[in-house]
Amino acid sequence: MKDLEKNAQYQGGEDIQSVISRHTNQYDIYVTKSNPSTTLGHTDGTKLRQALDSRHVSMIAIGGALGTGLLIGTGSALRAAGPGAIFVAYSVIGFVVFMVMSALGEVAAFIPLNGFANYCQRYVDDALGFACGYVYLFKYLILPANQLVAGSLTVQYWVSKDKLNPGVWIAIFLVVITVVNLLGVRFFGEIEFWLSSLKVVTCLGLIILLLVIALGGGPTHDRIGFRFWKNPGAFLHYTYTEDGELLTIPGSKGRFVAFVSVLVSAVFAYLGTELVGITFAETRNPRKSIPKAIKLTFYRILIFYVCSILFLGMAVSPKDPLLLSANSSNYQASASPFVIAIRNARIDGLDHVINACILLFVLSAANSDMYVCSRTIYSLSVAGYAPKFFCTTNARGVPYYGLMLSFAFSLLAFMTVSSSSAQIFQYFVNVVSLTGLIAWSCILTIHIRFMNALKAQGLSRKTDLAYRSPLQPYGTWIALCICILVIFIKNFTVFIGDNFAYKSFITGYIVLPVFIIMYFGYKFWFKTSIIPAHEVDLDTFRDVIDAEAIKFQEEDEERKAIREAEGNPRDKEWFYEKFLGWIF
């Protein structure tokens, strides 16, 4: 508190409110933190709203990591490599995700900005901000449509497409998520809080159920244990189909290839975790909310991913006929390995519950993806990379032109109504799947440059930061190397066998040369250069964020004093912080 008060005293000992007001009038701290020279943000028509509380940000952080990649995508990974391989693969990528989120938390808690492009622009290079921002935008232009298609497929578990055209469900879901986003960030945050809470309860229930099944607590009373780790084995050989014939790569080489293939699958299961970083610019009291959302990432990854993968490998055999017949592109409950475990244990009725949960996960993802898309184009506009009108907001602080752009691209979902267009849409999805890994790499690069700037300018990570990423600097460097490795091996299986799947190769890798061309093209055109560590701006708006932290702390202490004076020190806010906040 004293350090913050000291940092907030500028220009002859101004008080806290003067510091905030001065910078708000000059720059508008909500919009132009990363670009003080811009003329945007002087009016209410270009401001976001700091309306998300700590609980909203924390739940969005965990909800973004729980999706169909966990409930469904793990089935194909288990089938391809075995329980031991997926346990190791998901643990390795879990470490990468933890380092990415910790890196993002350290930089954002220092001075929260509007998007990843703004962080790149401030700490690394203007050209990287341009390339990273647009590559990330490409991802979220396509993802809402993909999630809407997934939602329509999920509903077909109950209502077949012969009875009702899937386009009806796509239209209904699209209207719902658009309305939620139009009503403002506070309403969006509240909806996502409760949806993410249901996600957490669902995943915890499934983890406990898998453990009970593995230990023989199901109706069959079959104590499975680690039986499937012995037969057919923890690490399987890689198999592939060529000319209608199933072929296997034998020996250690086959096991290694299978492991690397599911390493890529594990990445896609975790993608989206970083999207909480987009909410930081609309977060109330970022110095408190951001570290809280990030600190427990390790335990969330350990519980919701590593534990669920371990128990899933115990409860379901990779050679299970139901698993072999499941299609990972089918978002229905029948494709989920969790449902297969439940069926094998002869527990009736839960498949419908799981399908409802999958639908919930998909709609929550579609809602978040539309939000991220609108804020990403907004941040690009603020940074000067996109037309200025995209930073225009309504009275609720919603960048409605960005929302309209996301809505327009969401209409691509109706392509799947026609079978001839469905394959084209799948190529779109494959094109944007690499963007998440590029975003992770950019976040880690930002953190490396941020740490270098702190050192060069005499600031201490121990005393001058609200949150410090652990295992530094080695953790960030190791995670960055793993990300780059996975980027290059993402679609390596196209080279196996005699038939070269050139369509999968092109659509899987095309984003990488696009990113490189955008980066160097912008650099050569505008003659930009990497910002030297001693010239990185670590001062603009730091006094404002320090002053805001003091102001929010005083407000919290005042509310606490009022509750105690009224004889009600333990209200719902206290209950949440005491008993639920450490989990959620």
Side-chain angles (χ1 to χ4, degrees), residues 416-470:
T416 57
V417 175
S418 169
S419 58
S420 60
S421 302
Q423 185 60 48
I424 298 175
F425 183 76
Q426 289 304 314
Y427 289 144
F428 279 143
V429 175
N430 196 25
V431 165
V432 301
S433 61
L434 193 63
T435 58
L437 276 167
I438 293 176
W440 289 0
S441 301
C442 289
I443 291 171
L444 295 168
T445 302
I446 291 166
H447 186 231
I448 291 171
R449 297 292 302 159
F450 176 73
M451 290 190 294
N452 291 342
L454 290 175
K455 185 177 180 180
Q457 299 182 33
L459 296 178
S460 172
R461 293 183 67 246
K462 292 183 178 180
T463 58
D464 294 315
L465 299 182
Y467 172 75
R468 286 185 297 134
S469 174

Side-chain angles (χ1 to χ4, degrees), residues 152-173:
S152 67
L153 288 172
T154 306
V155 176
Q156 289 177 34
Y157 191 74
W158 298 302
V159 182
S160 69
K161 61 180 180 180
D162 297 329
K163 291 184 178 179
L164 189 62
N165 192 302
V168 175
W169 299 113
I170 292 175
I172 293 173
F173 298 151

Side-chain angles (χ1 to χ4, degrees), residues 281-302:
E282 297 178 86
T283 301
R284 182 184 179 275
N285 196 359
R287 285 279 167 85
K288 176 182 177 182
S289 301
I290 294 173
K292 185 174 182 180
I294 299 298
K295 281 182 179 179
L296 296 177
T297 302
F298 173 79
Y299 301 102
R300 291 162 179 164
I301 291 172
L302 181 65

Side-chain angles (χ1 to χ4, degrees), residues 60-117:
I60 292 173
I62 188 172
L66 299 177
T68 54
L70 177 62
L71 283 189
I72 295 177
T74 48
S76 59
L78 176 62
R79 179 180 59 195
I86 65 169
F87 177 73
V88 175
Y90 276 73
S91 299
V92 170
I93 301 304
F95 165 77
V96 173
V97 172
F98 173 62
M99 297 315 306
V100 169
M101 296 302 294
S102 298
L104 178 61
E106 179 173 315
V107 178
F110 186 72
I111 299 176
L113 304 179
N114 298 303
F116 303 133

Side-chain angles (χ1 to χ4, degrees), residues 251-537:
S252 300
K253 179 181 178 181
R255 294 189 180 95
F256 177 75
V257 171
F259 168 75
V260 174
S261 68
V262 298
L263 194 67
V264 178
S265 300
V267 169
F268 297 141
Y270 283 106
L271 286 180
T273 310
E274 79 292 334
L275 66 81
V276 68
I278 305 298
T279 70
F280 290 161
E282 297 178 86
T283 301
R284 182 184 179 275
N285 196 359
R287 285 279 167 85
K288 176 182 177 182
S289 301
I290 294 173
K292 185 174 182 180
I294 299 298
K295 281 182 179 179
L296 296 177
T297 302
F298 173 79
Y299 301 102
R300 291 162 179 164
I301 291 172
L302 181 65
I303 293 173
F304 293 108
Y305 275 92
V306 178
C307 284
S308 63
I309 291 299
L310 175 63
F311 298 153
L312 186 64
M314 294 169 62
V316 180
S317 169
K319 299 297 184 181
D320 191 298
L322 294 175
L323 189 64
L324 295 174
S325 62
N327 183 1
S328 60
S329 64
N330 183 359
Y331 285 82
Q332 297 178 7
S334 57
S336 173
F338 293 90
V339 171
I340 293 172
I342 292 169
R343 286 182 175 178
N344 290 340
R346 298 179 183 175
I347 303 175
D348 297 328
L350 276 182
D351 54 338
H352 293 284
V353 176
I354 301 301
N355 199 64
C357 293
I358 293 172
L359 180 61
L360 173 71
F361 279 36
V362 168
L363 292 181
S364 174
N367 190 38
S368 298
D369 292 344
M370 178 171 281
Y371 168 87
V372 173
C373 181
S374 63
R375 268 54 176 187
T376 300
I377 187 63
Y378 172 88
S379 70
L380 289 171
S381 177
V382 168
Y385 299 135
K388 293 182 179 180
F389 66 85
F390 278 115
C391 74
T392 306
T393 59
N394 62 16
R396 294 185 175 91
V398 177
Y400 53 89
Y401 283 114
L403 202 60
M404 291 168 59
L405 180 68
S406 180
F407 179 88
F409 273 84
S410 297
L411 297 177
L412 290 172
F414 290 101
M415 291 174 61
T416 57
V417 175
S418 169
S419 58
S420 60
S421 302
Q423 185 60 48
I424 298 175
F425 183 76
Q426 289 304 314
Y427 289 144
F428 279 143
V429 175
N430 196 25
V431 165
V432 301
S433 61
L434 193 63
T435 58
L437 276 167
I438 293 176
W440 289 0
S441 301
C442 289
I443 291 171
L444 295 168
T445 302
I446 291 166
H447 186 231
I448 291 171
R449 297 292 302 159
F450 176 73
M451 290 190 294
N452 291 342
L454 290 175
K455 185 177 180 180
Q457 299 182 33
L459 296 178
S460 172
R461 293 183 67 246
K462 292 183 178 180
T463 58
D464 294 315
L465 299 182
Y467 172 75
R468 286 185 297 134
S469 174
L471 307 176
Q472 295 307 326
Y474 309 105
T476 294
W477 276 107
I478 293 172
L480 179 59
C481 291
I482 294 175
C483 282
I484 294 174
L485 175 64
V486 177
I487 285 174
F488 284 105
I489 66 174
K490 173 184 174 289
N491 277 38
F492 79 100
T493 53
V494 299
F495 298 104
I496 297 176
D498 297 328
N499 296 331
F500 179 66
Y502 68 93
K503 292 181 180 179
S504 297
F505 175 79
I506 293 174
T507 57
Y509 282 109
I510 194 171
V511 172
L512 183 58
V514 168
F515 173 78
I516 295 173
I517 292 171
M518 291 177 70
Y519 174 74
F520 285 104
Y522 191 95
K523 177 176 287 292
F524 292 146
W525 186 265
F526 291 99
K527 302 295 189 289
T528 67
S529 60
I530 296 176
I531 305 172
H534 64 277
E535 294 182 8
V536 171
D537 184 5

Side-chain angles (χ1 to χ4, degrees), residues 19-50 111-114 122 281 378 382 391 393 397 540-541 544-545 548:
V19 173
I20 296 176
S21 299
R22 173 168 55 82
H23 279 269
T24 299
N25 293 335
Q26 291 178 3
Y27 305 111
D28 186 342
I29 64 174
Y30 302 117
V31 180
T32 59
K33 290 190 177 83
S34 62
N35 192 1
S37 63
T38 183
T39 58
L40 300 178
H42 286 275
T43 64
D44 289 340
T46 57
K47 293 181 181 179
L48 298 178
R49 296 290 181 265
Q50 288 182 305
I111 299 176
L113 304 179
N114 298 303
R122 179 161 181 156
Y378 172 88
V382 168
C391 74
T393 59
T540 303
F541 301 114
V544 182
I545 303 301
E548 282 184 331

